[in-house]
Amino acid sequence: PILVLHGEADTIVPIAHAHRLVAHRENLPTETRFFEGAEHSFMNDAKHPATLTSLETIWRFLDGNDA
């Protein structure tokens, strides 16, 4: 399984890369979350609205995939 978290305002890694990765996984377990207005390092900012959502998503993903 793979979890893809990507900021839609990322100017370092284009969001197209995330979409391409997901497209290549076809029938493999994949969870994606795209965050509007989030830049590349949004998780470094504890006050960014997407940070808490990302952390919750990561915990849920790990819990559900026996990681």
Side-chain angles (χ1 to χ4, degrees):
I2 188 170
L3 172 62
V4 177
L5 304 174
H6 202 99
E8 292 181 349
D10 190 336
T11 58
I12 296 174
V13 178
I15 196 166
H17 290 197
H19 288 293
R20 222 175 11 245
L21 172 64
V22 171
H24 282 48
R25 294 197 42 87
E26 294 181 3
N27 296 319
L28 299 170
T30 307
E31 183 175 340
T32 58
R33 290 294 303 259
F34 298 104
F35 298 97
E36 184 178 345
E39 296 183 4
H40 184 76
S41 58
F42 71 91
M43 286 191 64
N44 291 337
D45 179 0
K47 294 180 182 178
H48 194 287
T51 300
L52 179 58
T53 303
S54 294
L55 293 172
E56 291 169 344
T57 301
I58 292 166
W59 283 117
R60 188 180 66 254
F61 178 82
L62 293 174
D63 187 49
N65 287 292
D66 297 324

